[in-house]
Amino acid sequence: KVDYMEFRKVGETEMHEVSQLLAVSFKDYPLFEIIEKNNHKRYHLIKMLQQLNTKVFSKKHTCLVAVENNKIMGVALVKNLQNKQHDLPECIKIGGLSLLFKGMLPKAIQFLRLANGSDINIEDSKTFDWYVDSLPVSDKAQGKGVGSGLLKACVFPYIAENSGGKVSLVTNTGINRKFYMKNGFEEFKEENLILNNESIKNWNYRMHIESALD
């Protein structure tokens, strides 16, 4: 189904398109719904946060994409944990002033702290070598195997070619749970994220990828 797609690293001029795809994909994500109930305000908050996130990844990490007819259909944000740097301070540094003027800074910090909670625990545990931050697929490409193709044709080979190691990711949705287990990840931890007296489930996954250099 995905033979016609190109899987590769993102181009510098494509980062805006990546942030747009991320914003649309996460507009109804449970984590964001806890922080901002208003649909319109939530989308603008997510849009700004994803613009910050893609800027951080373009500077410090790796962004891989699935492309069809010059359109980005899927994105994988992949982080090498060996640099031991957390992204929350960088996000605030890049976009804090803009978020403050738009009245979004408090909720943005709430989200970044909550979203980075598992990320930080993963980094500090020294158990994992890699972290898949996000893996959204365009609505136009749902059900076509783009997410699986992006993992198998791009993410896994990239990690293998860069010494391999233990990979982790987290999700808040049941659909994603099935997807990751179908693609070889093992579910190893379930936890509750609590904010504003509300709770959502958070599931952690892991996988070991052999180095292609051995």
Side-chain angles (χ1 to χ4, degrees):
K1 289 183 181 179
V2 293
D3 292 343
Y4 52 87
M5 286 214 171
E6 179 187 7
F7 298 99
R8 58 171 170 77
K9 278 190 176 183
V10 72
E12 192 171 326
T13 60
E14 297 172 316
M15 293 308 294
H16 177 72
E17 190 178 351
V18 166
S19 68
Q20 289 292 107
L21 174 55
L22 285 159
V24 171
S25 298
F26 287 111
K27 63 182 173 61
D28 297 318
Y29 206 60
L31 202 58
F32 288 101
E33 289 181 338
I34 286 181
I35 292 169
E36 178 56 70
K37 300 298 184 185
N38 182 282
N39 290 338
H40 180 71
K41 290 181 179 178
R42 184 169 66 246
Y43 176 72
H44 283 284
L45 173 62
I46 293 169
K47 188 175 179 180
M48 291 198 68
L49 287 173
Q50 295 303 343
Q51 287 172 349
L52 292 180
N53 200 34
T54 52
K55 285 181 182 178
V56 170
F57 264 81
S58 68
K59 289 175 62 176
K60 298 172 61 178
H61 308 299
T62 302
C63 178
L64 305 169
V65 291
V67 182
E68 178 186 11
N69 296 327
N70 296 317
K71 295 286 186 181
I72 293 177
M73 293 291 136
V75 175
L77 300 181
V78 181
K79 182 186 300 186
N80 186 331
L81 299 180
Q82 300 309 305
N83 61 26
K84 303 299 179 186
Q85 297 178 23
H86 300 316
D87 292 340
L88 177 56
E90 188 74 18
C91 281
I92 299 301
K93 179 182 176 182
I94 292 173
L97 192 60
S98 176
L99 288 165
L100 179 63
F101 281 130
K102 295 187 178 183
M104 295 181 179
L105 186 58
K107 288 189 176 182
I109 292 175
Q110 275 187 326
F111 169 76
L112 290 168
R113 282 177 173 164
L114 196 60
N116 280 274
S118 294
D119 180 358
I120 290 170
N121 291 336
I122 286 167
E123 292 189 31
D124 289 343
S125 73
K126 299 180 181 179
T127 302
F128 296 101
D129 306 296
W130 298 86
Y131 182 69
V132 180
D133 178 270
S134 302
L135 190 76
V137 171
S138 168
D139 289 343
K140 297 177 182 178
Q142 292 290 337
K144 296 182 178 180
V146 175
S148 295
L150 191 52
L151 283 174
K152 294 173 182 177
C154 204
V155 176
F156 295 164
Y158 174 80
I159 291 173
E161 290 163 7
N162 287 275
S163 301
K166 295 179 181 177
V167 186
S168 184
L169 56 85
V170 300
T171 188
N172 304 125
T173 70
I175 292 175
N176 287 348
R177 290 178 72 192
K178 294 179 181 178
F179 168 79
Y180 290 124
M181 286 189 280
K182 180 186 76 173
N183 282 284
F185 282 91
E186 174 196 2
E187 187 174 295
F188 72 95
K189 184 180 179 183
E190 178 181 310
E191 58 189 344
N192 288 311
L193 299 179
I194 300 173
L195 183 69
N196 300 332
N197 296 318
E198 292 188 62
S199 173
I200 61 170
K201 291 289 184 183
N202 202 55
W203 293 281
N204 294 249
Y205 293 85
R206 62 189 174 195
M207 171 188 285
H208 185 270
I209 295 177
E210 296 292 337
S211 172
L213 306 177
D214 294 339

PDB file of all heavy atoms in Angstrom, residues 81-108:
ATOM      1  N   LEU A  81      18.486   9.887  23.057  1.00  0.00           N
ATOM      2  CA  LEU A  81      18.531  10.288  24.467  1.00  0.00           C
ATOM      3  C   LEU A  81      19.941  10.438  25.013  1.00  0.00           C
ATOM      4  O   LEU A  81      20.107  10.808  26.180  1.00  0.00           O
ATOM      5  CB  LEU A  81      17.754   9.270  25.312  1.00  0.00           C
ATOM      6  CG  LEU A  81      16.269   9.129  24.978  1.00  0.00           C
ATOM      7  CD1 LEU A  81      15.619   8.091  25.887  1.00  0.00           C
ATOM      8  CD2 LEU A  81      15.546  10.453  25.099  1.00  0.00           C
ATOM      9  N   GLN A  82      20.942  10.166  24.203  1.00  0.00           N
ATOM     10  CA  GLN A  82      22.306  10.237  24.705  1.00  0.00           C
ATOM     11  C   GLN A  82      22.759  11.658  25.000  1.00  0.00           C
ATOM     12  O   GLN A  82      23.712  11.877  25.745  1.00  0.00           O
ATOM     13  CB  GLN A  82      23.264   9.587  23.692  1.00  0.00           C
ATOM     14  CG  GLN A  82      22.975   8.115  23.415  1.00  0.00           C
ATOM     15  CD  GLN A  82      22.843   7.289  24.690  1.00  0.00           C
ATOM     16  OE1 GLN A  82      23.736   7.283  25.522  1.00  0.00           O
ATOM     17  NE2 GLN A  82      21.705   6.617  24.853  1.00  0.00           N
ATOM     18  N   ASN A  83      22.074  12.664  24.399  1.00  0.00           N
ATOM     19  CA  ASN A  83      22.491  14.047  24.673  1.00  0.00           C
ATOM     20  C   ASN A  83      22.048  14.538  26.047  1.00  0.00           C
ATOM     21  O   ASN A  83      22.505  15.574  26.521  1.00  0.00           O
ATOM     22  CB  ASN A  83      21.999  15.001  23.578  1.00  0.00           C
ATOM     23  CG  ASN A  83      20.483  15.050  23.461  1.00  0.00           C
ATOM     24  OD1 ASN A  83      19.759  14.793  24.428  1.00  0.00           O
ATOM     25  ND2 ASN A  83      19.992  15.381  22.275  1.00  0.00           N
ATOM     26  N   LYS A  84      21.109  13.816  26.683  1.00  0.00           N
ATOM     27  CA  LYS A  84      20.693  14.105  28.062  1.00  0.00           C
ATOM     28  C   LYS A  84      20.179  15.530  28.253  1.00  0.00           C
ATOM     29  O   LYS A  84      20.323  16.117  29.317  1.00  0.00           O
ATOM     30  CB  LYS A  84      21.852  13.851  29.039  1.00  0.00           C
ATOM     31  CG  LYS A  84      22.414  12.442  28.990  1.00  0.00           C
ATOM     32  CD  LYS A  84      21.375  11.402  29.352  1.00  0.00           C
ATOM     33  CE  LYS A  84      21.939   9.987  29.281  1.00  0.00           C
ATOM     34  NZ  LYS A  84      20.923   8.950  29.496  1.00  0.00           N
ATOM     35  N   GLN A  85      19.564  16.093  27.226  1.00  0.00           N
ATOM     36  CA  GLN A  85      19.011  17.433  27.343  1.00  0.00           C
ATOM     37  C   GLN A  85      17.487  17.375  27.270  1.00  0.00           C
ATOM     38  O   GLN A  85      16.939  16.773  26.355  1.00  0.00           O
ATOM     39  CB  GLN A  85      19.526  18.322  26.197  1.00  0.00           C
ATOM     40  CG  GLN A  85      21.025  18.539  26.213  1.00  0.00           C
ATOM     41  CD  GLN A  85      21.478  19.383  25.049  1.00  0.00           C
ATOM     42  OE1 GLN A  85      20.706  20.144  24.484  1.00  0.00           O
ATOM     43  NE2 GLN A  85      22.745  19.258  24.680  1.00  0.00           N
ATOM     44  N   HIS A  86      16.839  18.013  28.232  1.00  0.00           N
ATOM     45  CA  HIS A  86      15.381  18.067  28.223  1.00  0.00           C
ATOM     46  C   HIS A  86      14.923  19.232  27.344  1.00  0.00           C
ATOM     47  O   HIS A  86      15.580  20.265  27.250  1.00  0.00           O
ATOM     48  CB  HIS A  86      14.834  18.238  29.636  1.00  0.00           C
ATOM     49  CG  HIS A  86      15.226  17.111  30.542  1.00  0.00           C
ATOM     50  ND1 HIS A  86      15.166  15.789  30.171  1.00  0.00           N
ATOM     51  CD2 HIS A  86      15.700  17.119  31.820  1.00  0.00           C
ATOM     52  CE1 HIS A  86      15.564  15.028  31.171  1.00  0.00           C
ATOM     53  NE2 HIS A  86      15.901  15.818  32.183  1.00  0.00           N
ATOM     54  N   ASP A  87      13.741  19.073  26.715  1.00  0.00           N
ATOM     55  CA  ASP A  87      13.280  20.049  25.735  1.00  0.00           C
ATOM     56  C   ASP A  87      12.416  21.152  26.321  1.00  0.00           C
ATOM     57  O   ASP A  87      12.195  22.173  25.669  1.00  0.00           O
ATOM     58  CB  ASP A  87      12.490  19.339  24.632  1.00  0.00           C
ATOM     59  CG  ASP A  87      13.388  18.440  23.789  1.00  0.00           C
ATOM     60  OD1 ASP A  87      14.609  18.647  23.810  1.00  0.00           O
ATOM     61  OD2 ASP A  87      12.855  17.542  23.125  1.00  0.00           O
ATOM     62  N   LEU A  88      11.887  20.984  27.534  1.00  0.00           N
ATOM     63  CA  LEU A  88      10.996  21.987  28.120  1.00  0.00           C
ATOM     64  C   LEU A  88      11.651  23.368  28.205  1.00  0.00           C
ATOM     65  O   LEU A  88      11.065  24.358  27.751  1.00  0.00           O
ATOM     66  CB  LEU A  88      10.502  21.526  29.498  1.00  0.00           C
ATOM     67  CG  LEU A  88       9.612  22.492  30.287  1.00  0.00           C
ATOM     68  CD1 LEU A  88       8.402  22.883  29.463  1.00  0.00           C
ATOM     69  CD2 LEU A  88       9.190  21.865  31.605  1.00  0.00           C
ATOM     70  N   PRO A  89      12.864  23.496  28.744  1.00  0.00           N
ATOM     71  CA  PRO A  89      13.481  24.828  28.806  1.00  0.00           C
ATOM     72  C   PRO A  89      13.684  25.437  27.419  1.00  0.00           C
ATOM     73  O   PRO A  89      13.515  26.646  27.237  1.00  0.00           O
ATOM     74  CB  PRO A  89      14.830  24.563  29.490  1.00  0.00           C
ATOM     75  CG  PRO A  89      14.637  23.296  30.245  1.00  0.00           C
ATOM     76  CD  PRO A  89      13.708  22.481  29.387  1.00  0.00           C
ATOM     77  N   GLU A  90      14.039  24.621  26.436  1.00  0.00           N
ATOM     78  CA  GLU A  90      14.261  25.120  25.084  1.00  0.00           C
ATOM     79  C   GLU A  90      12.960  25.643  24.470  1.00  0.00           C
ATOM     80  O   GLU A  90      12.941  26.676  23.800  1.00  0.00           O
ATOM     81  CB  GLU A  90      14.839  24.006  24.211  1.00  0.00           C
ATOM     82  CG  GLU A  90      15.286  24.454  22.835  1.00  0.00           C
ATOM     83  CD  GLU A  90      16.572  25.257  22.857  1.00  0.00           C
ATOM     84  OE1 GLU A  90      17.305  25.196  23.865  1.00  0.00           O
ATOM     85  OE2 GLU A  90      16.830  25.965  21.870  1.00  0.00           O
ATOM     86  N   CYS A  91      11.842  24.911  24.700  1.00  0.00           N
ATOM     87  CA  CYS A  91      10.539  25.352  24.187  1.00  0.00           C
ATOM     88  C   CYS A  91      10.152  26.716  24.761  1.00  0.00           C
ATOM     89  O   CYS A  91       9.684  27.599  24.044  1.00  0.00           O
ATOM     90  CB  CYS A  91       9.459  24.328  24.523  1.00  0.00           C
ATOM     91  SG  CYS A  91       9.434  22.889  23.436  1.00  0.00           S
ATOM     92  N   ILE A  92      10.338  26.875  26.063  1.00  0.00           N
ATOM     93  CA  ILE A  92       9.990  28.137  26.714  1.00  0.00           C
ATOM     94  C   ILE A  92      10.904  29.251  26.212  1.00  0.00           C
ATOM     95  O   ILE A  92      10.472  30.384  25.967  1.00  0.00           O
ATOM     96  CB  ILE A  92      10.093  28.010  28.254  1.00  0.00           C
ATOM     97  CG1 ILE A  92       9.116  26.944  28.760  1.00  0.00           C
ATOM     98  CG2 ILE A  92       9.822  29.353  28.925  1.00  0.00           C
ATOM     99  CD1 ILE A  92       7.675  27.208  28.425  1.00  0.00           C
ATOM    100  N   LYS A  93      12.181  28.933  26.026  1.00  0.00           N
ATOM    101  CA  LYS A  93      13.145  29.925  25.537  1.00  0.00           C
ATOM    102  C   LYS A  93      12.758  30.429  24.152  1.00  0.00           C
ATOM    103  O   LYS A  93      12.799  31.633  23.873  1.00  0.00           O
ATOM    104  CB  LYS A  93      14.540  29.296  25.502  1.00  0.00           C
ATOM    105  CG  LYS A  93      15.624  30.227  24.984  1.00  0.00           C
ATOM    106  CD  LYS A  93      16.963  29.493  24.949  1.00  0.00           C
ATOM    107  CE  LYS A  93      18.043  30.373  24.338  1.00  0.00           C
ATOM    108  NZ  LYS A  93      19.348  29.642  24.257  1.00  0.00           N
ATOM    109  N   ILE A  94      12.365  29.520  23.270  1.00  0.00           N
ATOM    110  CA  ILE A  94      12.041  29.883  21.892  1.00  0.00           C
ATOM    111  C   ILE A  94      10.715  30.638  21.799  1.00  0.00           C
ATOM    112  O   ILE A  94      10.606  31.636  21.092  1.00  0.00           O
ATOM    113  CB  ILE A  94      11.979  28.623  20.994  1.00  0.00           C
ATOM    114  CG1 ILE A  94      13.378  28.030  20.839  1.00  0.00           C
ATOM    115  CG2 ILE A  94      11.407  28.950  19.624  1.00  0.00           C
ATOM    116  CD1 ILE A  94      13.386  26.692  20.118  1.00  0.00           C
ATOM    117  N   GLY A  95       9.690  30.146  22.521  1.00  0.00           N
ATOM    118  CA  GLY A  95       8.352  30.705  22.310  1.00  0.00           C
ATOM    119  C   GLY A  95       7.660  31.303  23.500  1.00  0.00           C
ATOM    120  O   GLY A  95       6.503  31.693  23.409  1.00  0.00           O
ATOM    121  N   GLY A  96       8.354  31.411  24.637  1.00  0.00           N
ATOM    122  CA  GLY A  96       7.712  31.889  25.859  1.00  0.00           C
ATOM    123  C   GLY A  96       7.119  33.274  25.745  1.00  0.00           C
ATOM    124  O   GLY A  96       5.995  33.529  26.177  1.00  0.00           O
ATOM    125  N   LEU A  97       7.847  34.203  25.117  1.00  0.00           N
ATOM    126  CA  LEU A  97       7.373  35.583  25.016  1.00  0.00           C
ATOM    127  C   LEU A  97       6.124  35.684  24.151  1.00  0.00           C
ATOM    128  O   LEU A  97       5.158  36.366  24.493  1.00  0.00           O
ATOM    129  CB  LEU A  97       8.491  36.464  24.440  1.00  0.00           C
ATOM    130  CG  LEU A  97       8.266  37.978  24.545  1.00  0.00           C
ATOM    131  CD1 LEU A  97       8.124  38.389  26.006  1.00  0.00           C
ATOM    132  CD2 LEU A  97       9.427  38.721  23.893  1.00  0.00           C
ATOM    133  N   SER A  98       6.126  34.970  23.029  1.00  0.00           N
ATOM    134  CA  SER A  98       4.964  34.977  22.135  1.00  0.00           C
ATOM    135  C   SER A  98       3.747  34.393  22.824  1.00  0.00           C
ATOM    136  O   SER A  98       2.635  34.926  22.727  1.00  0.00           O
ATOM    137  CB  SER A  98       5.289  34.184  20.865  1.00  0.00           C
ATOM    138  OG  SER A  98       4.160  34.090  20.028  1.00  0.00           O
ATOM    139  N   LEU A  99       3.934  33.270  23.530  1.00  0.00           N
ATOM    140  CA  LEU A  99       2.828  32.645  24.262  1.00  0.00           C
ATOM    141  C   LEU A  99       2.310  33.561  25.370  1.00  0.00           C
ATOM    142  O   LEU A  99       1.110  33.617  25.625  1.00  0.00           O
ATOM    143  CB  LEU A  99       3.292  31.310  24.861  1.00  0.00           C
ATOM    144  CG  LEU A  99       3.499  30.169  23.866  1.00  0.00           C
ATOM    145  CD1 LEU A  99       4.293  29.038  24.521  1.00  0.00           C
ATOM    146  CD2 LEU A  99       2.169  29.632  23.344  1.00  0.00           C
ATOM    147  N   LEU A 100       3.214  34.282  26.015  1.00  0.00           N
ATOM    148  CA  LEU A 100       2.825  35.197  27.093  1.00  0.00           C
ATOM    149  C   LEU A 100       1.930  36.303  26.562  1.00  0.00           C
ATOM    150  O   LEU A 100       0.880  36.601  27.134  1.00  0.00           O
ATOM    151  CB  LEU A 100       4.082  35.795  27.745  1.00  0.00           C
ATOM    152  CG  LEU A 100       3.847  36.802  28.877  1.00  0.00           C
ATOM    153  CD1 LEU A 100       3.134  36.124  30.051  1.00  0.00           C
ATOM    154  CD2 LEU A 100       5.172  37.394  29.333  1.00  0.00           C
ATOM    155  N   PHE A 101       2.310  36.908  25.440  1.00  0.00           N
ATOM    156  CA  PHE A 101       1.525  38.001  24.868  1.00  0.00           C
ATOM    157  C   PHE A 101       0.146  37.520  24.421  1.00  0.00           C
ATOM    158  O   PHE A 101      -0.816  38.289  24.418  1.00  0.00           O
ATOM    159  CB  PHE A 101       2.265  38.638  23.694  1.00  0.00           C
ATOM    160  CG  PHE A 101       3.350  39.592  24.113  1.00  0.00           C
ATOM    161  CD1 PHE A 101       4.620  39.487  23.582  1.00  0.00           C
ATOM    162  CD2 PHE A 101       3.107  40.578  25.051  1.00  0.00           C
ATOM    163  CE1 PHE A 101       5.628  40.367  23.971  1.00  0.00           C
ATOM    164  CE2 PHE A 101       4.110  41.464  25.452  1.00  0.00           C
ATOM    165  CZ  PHE A 101       5.375  41.355  24.916  1.00  0.00           C
ATOM    166  N   LYS A 102       0.044  36.260  24.033  1.00  0.00           N
ATOM    167  CA  LYS A 102      -1.238  35.727  23.568  1.00  0.00           C
ATOM    168  C   LYS A 102      -2.030  35.082  24.706  1.00  0.00           C
ATOM    169  O   LYS A 102      -3.074  34.474  24.477  1.00  0.00           O
ATOM    170  CB  LYS A 102      -1.008  34.721  22.443  1.00  0.00           C
ATOM    171  CG  LYS A 102      -0.412  35.382  21.205  1.00  0.00           C
ATOM    172  CD  LYS A 102      -0.330  34.447  20.026  1.00  0.00           C
ATOM    173  CE  LYS A 102       0.230  35.184  18.815  1.00  0.00           C
ATOM    174  NZ  LYS A 102       0.262  34.356  17.603  1.00  0.00           N
ATOM    175  N   GLY A 103      -1.534  35.199  25.931  1.00  0.00           N
ATOM    176  CA  GLY A 103      -2.234  34.675  27.097  1.00  0.00           C
ATOM    177  C   GLY A 103      -2.236  33.163  27.203  1.00  0.00           C
ATOM    178  O   GLY A 103      -3.055  32.588  27.922  1.00  0.00           O
ATOM    179  N   MET A 104      -1.316  32.500  26.505  1.00  0.00           N
ATOM    180  CA  MET A 104      -1.310  31.031  26.471  1.00  0.00           C
ATOM    181  C   MET A 104      -0.184  30.407  27.291  1.00  0.00           C
ATOM    182  O   MET A 104      -0.115  29.185  27.404  1.00  0.00           O
ATOM    183  CB  MET A 104      -1.163  30.544  25.022  1.00  0.00           C
ATOM    184  CG  MET A 104      -2.318  30.892  24.120  1.00  0.00           C
ATOM    185  SD  MET A 104      -2.049  30.244  22.451  1.00  0.00           S
ATOM    186  CE  MET A 104      -3.549  30.779  21.626  1.00  0.00           C
ATOM    187  N   LEU A 105       0.700  31.235  27.849  1.00  0.00           N
ATOM    188  CA  LEU A 105       1.881  30.681  28.496  1.00  0.00           C
ATOM    189  C   LEU A 105       1.570  29.737  29.666  1.00  0.00           C
ATOM    190  O   LEU A 105       2.143  28.652  29.748  1.00  0.00           O
ATOM    191  CB  LEU A 105       2.815  31.805  28.957  1.00  0.00           C
ATOM    192  CG  LEU A 105       4.160  31.346  29.536  1.00  0.00           C
ATOM    193  CD1 LEU A 105       4.931  30.520  28.513  1.00  0.00           C
ATOM    194  CD2 LEU A 105       4.995  32.541  29.977  1.00  0.00           C
ATOM    195  N   PRO A 106       0.646  30.102  30.593  1.00  0.00           N
ATOM    196  CA  PRO A 106       0.379  29.180  31.713  1.00  0.00           C
ATOM    197  C   PRO A 106      -0.094  27.801  31.256  1.00  0.00           C
ATOM    198  O   PRO A 106       0.378  26.778  31.756  1.00  0.00           O
ATOM    199  CB  PRO A 106      -0.713  29.902  32.514  1.00  0.00           C
ATOM    200  CG  PRO A 106      -0.511  31.347  32.183  1.00  0.00           C
ATOM    201  CD  PRO A 106      -0.094  31.361  30.746  1.00  0.00           C
ATOM    202  N   LYS A 107      -1.024  27.767  30.292  1.00  0.00           N
ATOM    203  CA  LYS A 107      -1.528  26.478  29.823  1.00  0.00           C
ATOM    204  C   LYS A 107      -0.476  25.742  28.990  1.00  0.00           C
ATOM    205  O   LYS A 107      -0.417  24.510  29.000  1.00  0.00           O
ATOM    206  CB  LYS A 107      -2.815  26.666  29.021  1.00  0.00           C
ATOM    207  CG  LYS A 107      -3.991  27.039  29.917  1.00  0.00           C
ATOM    208  CD  LYS A 107      -5.308  27.019  29.190  1.00  0.00           C
ATOM    209  CE  LYS A 107      -6.441  27.300  30.186  1.00  0.00           C
ATOM    210  NZ  LYS A 107      -7.773  27.261  29.550  1.00  0.00           N
ATOM    211  N   ALA A 108       0.346  26.492  28.275  1.00  0.00           N
ATOM    212  CA  ALA A 108       1.429  25.875  27.504  1.00  0.00           C
ATOM    213  C   ALA A 108       2.420  25.189  28.442  1.00  0.00           C
ATOM    214  O   ALA A 108       2.862  24.057  28.190  1.00  0.00           O
ATOM    215  CB  ALA A 108       2.144  26.920  26.655  1.00  0.00           C
TER     216      ALA A 108
END
